[in-house]
Amino acid sequence: MSLMQNTSEISKTEQQVYLITLIRKSPDLPMYIDNMIYESVQSGQKFMTKLVAAFSRAGYRDNKVDDDHYELTNGLDKISLSGKLEDVFKD
């Protein structure tokens, strides 16, 4: 559980979202982190598939770990792309 979720002032809703996180590590650039949120697992995984295809066309080698996780590299940069269901909270 996140430290931000450890409070009595918030409560979990019935809604969940699919959070996609992209992390790029490069030897000569700062680490880059980006997030996107989708309403469903299916739409988020569809987006990840399209994004991996675009990186592959740009010369990255891809390794599909599972439907929710990809590892990509072009020899220098390493990209981790992952998705997971997250709860939605309200105050």
Side-chain angles (χ1 to χ4, degrees), residues 23-60:
I23 300 173
R24 186 197 72 211
K25 295 178 183 175
S26 178
D28 58 343
L29 296 170
M31 183 186 303
Y32 175 80
I33 300 174
D34 200 356
N35 293 296
M36 289 192 71
I37 297 174
Y38 277 84
E39 290 182 311
S40 71
V41 172
Q42 295 80 13
S43 60
Q45 288 176 344
K46 182 178 177 182
F47 168 76
M48 287 199 309
T49 301
K50 289 181 179 181
L51 186 60
V52 167
F55 275 112
S56 293
R57 287 190 301 274
Y60 282 78

Side-chain angles (χ1 to χ4, degrees), residues 46-86:
K46 182 178 177 182
F47 168 76
M48 287 199 309
T49 301
K50 289 181 179 181
L51 186 60
V52 167
F55 275 112
S56 293
R57 287 190 301 274
Y60 282 78
R61 293 178 300 282
D62 63 271
N63 175 35
K64 181 178 181 179
V65 178
D66 57 41
D67 288 341
D68 299 310
H69 189 187
Y70 293 86
E71 297 289 335
L72 302 114
T73 184
N74 67 357
L76 294 174
D77 293 346
K78 293 181 180 177
I79 296 175
S80 173
L81 183 63
S82 59
K84 66 179 181 173
L85 273 177
E86 293 285 347

